[in-house]
Amino acid sequence: MKRRTLLATGAGAAMAAALGLPARAQDKTKVGFIYVGPINDGGWTQHHHHSAMEMVHHFGDSVDFVYQENVPEGPDAERAITQMALGGADIIFTTSFGFMDPTVNVAANFPDVKFEHATGYKQADNVSVYSARFYEGRAIQGTLAGRVTKSNKIGYIASVPIPEVIRGINSAYLHAKKVNPDVEFKVIWIFEWLNPAKEADAAKALIEQGCDVVLQHTDSTAPHQAAKEAGGVYTFGQAADMAEYGPMPRISSIIDNWSPYYIERVQAVIDGTWGSVNTWDGIGAGMVGIGEISDAVPAEAKAEAEAMRDAIAAGTYHPFTGPINKQDGSAWLAEGEIANDGDLAGMFFFVEGIEGDIPS
């Protein structure tokens, strides 16, 4: 168990007892979170905060919880992380990809503070990284999208061009194409994680282009509202269930479940066993959840998607299993070959069949 300095130790504690004075209990572990969006965004940040609150509930009075929301990626993030470290945080979770360099920079100045960065790849002695295999959930979404589309046009609202987002697009497309060879994908980049106005505009533009299924890797519920207003368009919850839009347009979701990880890592700080790790878990470990599939989906398609979910969880199916070619037609994975984590982590290409370029 981690021990912090006490006001009364040894003879001092005995003196306090003799005088009838209470001895001070062990200091709380101070846990901080830096969020890129508001805690009520309905998606990414809200679910990180929800998981953080489950962690707080687990530990009760033994932790002191602090957070800052709406922190822009870049220099503002470095200032916010520094202020939290100066405020006495023992461990700080920074929950957006663009917080990576600011986290590493601040960690170098506070070697006794533990840092946990979500979705990045840069580690240090006091910096861990963690992420979820969202592409597993995208495979299930793609399967459902390919089955329910009537126009054979599927739209995808993409946030920022990093491997995490590109993996998701590729996985969704491959699985939509597998069940429906006639599908085509239309991708719109908004270059932000959260911007409800841009997300709504992108959804409307995709719907105007004939897309009757819209997937998103953005944080708000605005695309669902746009789809609801249009009618006859299917959507999927992102990061959170977004069940308030079910059974239509939202027909399923990817749910981020960070709380077990947060509990484990805070416990390691309390126990004095914390070490830098790289964690990348998915459906099998429970870090990626699949929201209930709406009855608006045909029973056969629902069963097919659920079977894929179970196979991924059991490790008997991998979403990136060959044969798969790159967009230019060159071979990437041979028949039966499974992509390794290194290739997936650095993925910066579209697979064959997706039109358009990845922004540089």
Side-chain angles (χ1 to χ4, degrees):
M1 181 69 71
K2 184 183 77 168
R3 298 293 177 185
R4 302 286 299 274
T5 303
L6 303 182
L7 291 181
T9 59
M15 178 67 73
L19 295 175
L21 301 175
R24 181 179 173 184
Q26 177 184 328
D27 288 348
K28 295 181 179 182
T29 298
K30 192 165 189 177
V31 182
F33 279 76
I34 301 290
Y35 300 133
V36 71
I39 60 172
N40 63 347
D41 67 357
W44 177 260
T45 291
Q46 183 167 322
H47 237 258
H48 274 287
H49 188 65
H50 174 76
S51 295
M53 294 308 297
E54 288 188 338
M55 176 273 298
V56 172
H57 178 74
H58 174 84
F59 288 108
D61 291 340
S62 62
V63 299
D64 181 13
F65 175 63
V66 294
Y67 70 89
Q68 186 169 343
E69 59 187 324
N70 292 313
V71 178
E73 296 175 331
D76 286 340
E78 191 159 330
R79 285 191 289 271
I81 299 166
T82 298
Q83 289 170 358
M84 193 166 282
L86 288 171
D90 296 294
I91 182 170
I92 299 173
F93 294 86
T94 58
T95 60
S96 190
F97 180 81
F99 294 159
M100 180 168 60
D101 287 339
T103 299
V104 172
N105 292 343
V106 176
N109 296 323
F110 294 89
D112 294 332
V113 179
K114 315 304 181 188
F115 296 84
E116 299 270 351
H117 177 239
T119 73
Y121 55 85
K122 294 184 179 180
Q123 288 181 254
D125 288 345
N126 61 332
V127 180
S128 284
V129 293
Y130 64 102
S131 189
R133 295 180 184 269
F134 306 117
Y135 67 84
E136 295 181 347
R138 300 292 177 201
I140 296 162
Q141 290 186 345
T143 299
L144 289 168
R147 289 299 190 194
V148 301
T149 180
K150 296 178 176 64
S151 67
N152 293 326
K153 294 181 179 179
I154 297 172
Y156 203 111
I157 305 171
S159 47
V160 295
I162 61 173
E164 174 194 322
V165 179
I166 296 164
R167 280 194 303 272
I169 296 170
N170 284 335
S171 181
Y173 174 78
L174 287 168
H175 290 83
K177 195 77 170 178
K178 184 177 293 187
V179 299
N180 183 351
D182 295 326
V183 299
E184 55 182 282
F185 261 40
K186 296 182 181 296
V187 181
I188 293 180
W189 296 89
I190 69 166
F191 302 99
E192 294 184 70
W193 295 108
L194 173 70
N195 187 317
K198 281 187 178 181
E199 293 173 62
D201 287 346
K204 292 173 184 176
L206 290 167
I207 294 167
E208 289 172 359
Q209 293 175 51
C211 297
D212 61 355
V213 183
V214 176
L215 289 79
Q216 66 182 93
H217 198 143
T218 53
D219 295 349
S220 86
T221 60
H224 300 270
Q225 184 60 41
K228 185 176 181 179
E229 292 170 359
V233 179
Y234 300 93
T235 59
F236 295 86
Q238 161 63 18
D241 199 24
M242 301 183 178
E244 64 269 29
Y245 286 94
M248 277 291 289
R250 171 253 177 244
I251 57 170
S252 187
S253 56
I254 293 175
I255 303 171
D256 303 343
N257 182 19
W258 307 108
S259 55
Y261 183 81
Y262 291 156
I263 290 169
E264 175 187 336
R265 301 305 285 162
V266 172
Q267 186 66 58
V269 172
I270 293 171
D271 293 343
T273 60
W274 189 98
S276 179
V277 298
N278 185 334
T279 300
W280 196 14
D281 284 334
I283 294 174
M287 192 172 274
V288 175
I290 303 300
E292 182 178 357
I293 300 173
S294 165
D295 289 338
V297 176
E300 184 178 346
K302 181 176 180 179
E304 182 179 30
E306 289 174 341
M308 177 177 289
R309 174 201 62 198
D310 295 344
I312 292 172
T316 58
Y317 177 71
H318 193 291
F320 287 103
T321 301
I324 301 174
N325 292 340
K326 294 184 178 181
Q327 188 183 47
D328 62 6
S330 62
W332 177 41
L333 297 175
E335 177 77 37
E337 184 181 3
I338 295 174
N340 62 55
D341 280 356
D343 286 345
L344 291 176
M347 181 177 282
F348 209 82
F349 61 86
F350 280 148
V351 295
E352 187 174 40
I354 297 180
E355 298 179 1
D357 298 325
I358 298 172
S360 58

